[in-house]
Amino acid sequence: MERTSPDPPRIIQGDLVVAIALAVVLGLIWAARNWAGLAALRLPDTDDVMRLQQVRDWLGGQAWSDLVQHRLGMGTPMHWTRVADLGPAAMLTLASPVLGIHDAERLMVVTWPIMLFAAALALVGRIARALEPEASRTAMVIAAIAYPATTIFAPGRIDHHGLQLVLLLAATRVGIAMPTLRNGAILGGLAAVSLMVGLETTPFFIVLGGATILAWVLQPSIAGARMVGVGVGVPTGLAVGIPLFASAQWRYPACDGFTAQAATGLAILALVPLALGVAAPRLTTIRARSIATAMLSLAAFVIVRAQSPACLSPYGQVPMPLRRLWLDHVGEAQSALSAAPVVVVGYLGVMLAGLAASIWVAKRYPGRIAGLLLALQVTALLITLVQLRGAYSGAMLGAPALAVMIGAARRRGTGWVVAAWTVSAGMLYPLVGAACASAFGHAEAPSSVANGAACATPAMMASLARLSPGVVMAPIDTGAWGIAATPHRFVAGPYHRNIEGNLAMYRFFLGDRGQAQRIARRWGVRYVLYCDGTMGGVRPRPASLAQALTEGRAPGWLRPLDARRQPILFEVAR
């Protein structure tokens, strides 16, 4: 069933055409449905608008290595790199002389996610073709509707998640290819690039690296070259990437992105396959190779723990009060074990169906490719139990096995085909979850509205943009929208490195009027923006400023600038 011989160019070109057609058609449909928001650059997520602003700042003269958002808090070093800025920035550079900057930005926020979507679908097709040739284009269709993965490729989604998923799919395709030195080096290089983009897919690359080593333990003459390639590819990728993409905040004491600690940890792990490759001639038995692998892996873990301690807790610097008030309420950072049922069904539905299909494929057609895909899906499930964002990868990785299952169903009759397509249609699961939540009276999942997105209405942002520049105190999610839409600086924003600003915002609204006034003076606040229900589910105390504003009892030092009831905009009296 599994194939390792290369496909003819016409097959590859045909798959690419299908992938592009699916991505363009679906992308344009999604863009049309949300055109009013996209045309106004009202992007789907706070990270998307902040990415747009980061690209604007760079193209506007901010230094390549300066990743500080200078209008957030006291100046917040972002945990991103320029890698994910390159595509959007290139499109703006090419299009803005012809279209003007605003229309160029409109074109970019629609086109860039569609391009990534096409790449992801093409890679899913290539993975499926290696598993079973006839399943390739079916797998692309399944991946095209594989909620929630499709949400990160919707027009407007210019953040790094789509790029990371493409890199993971590319690494998976290389991981199931011929075990050559070249393919191993590419896999190692992709691991380094993925780290430069973000940490979310690191567990998958650890599994891919572990599978490479396991293959060598079992078949050293076949898999040895690929293992050495991985050991060479990672440090080579880091050696190229650090001078190019390490920010001025490279030594920030965290392991939440492309930092010194994170890169050191990855480099240490890469020493394991490299050292095993050097020692391979002396390791002539499975027992010897297994013992050497276990000892080196344990040593690498101990060294990583000593050299990169922050990697054991990427959000370790966020204080507990801020975690309870904000971080625990971020949708994709929630655990599937604690999320609302409607979210669990929607996020895990097609991923679990794909996992079940992969188990069936691995049992019926045992082999390296099926086993590796199953291991990656189990990894996605484990990540999802900690943070829902793991479902993005799990939904896409299940598409090849689901396509094989549909092919088998075709041979059994129409009823089987209908059933197979039904369980494979990822877009149905959020509808089922919503129906079940409605039928059984379960509450909807908490959304970003609870943290301030409702304050960032287009009308309010337009009102703010007309005011003289100043410091704005507003709920946490409002900051990202406000920075992109206005000239102001915001105290709070949904980024974990902005600890002081975010804590100051919660203390401002949840404390009494006297405390709020002192914080406003300390931060030089000129404007205050507030709307009901913006404290992340925390019920404000009766004496708090938030409660006073909700009841229309603003203190005298806040002068109303907008007569509407909600949101409320004030200027701080001098």
Side-chain angles (χ1 to χ4, degrees), residues 422-449:
T422 299
V423 300
S424 302
M427 63 182 180
L428 294 180
Y429 288 96
L431 301 177
V432 172
C436 292
S438 177
F440 294 101
H442 293 299
E444 292 288 332
S447 69
S448 60
V449 171

Side-chain angles (χ1 to χ4, degrees), residues 57 67 80 87 144 175 232 275 278 331 353 382 418 425 468 499 537 566 571:
D57 291 342
L67 272 296
W80 299 337
V232 172
V278 172
L382 294 176
V418 172
S468 299
I499 294 173
Q566 289 291 337
E571 184 173 17

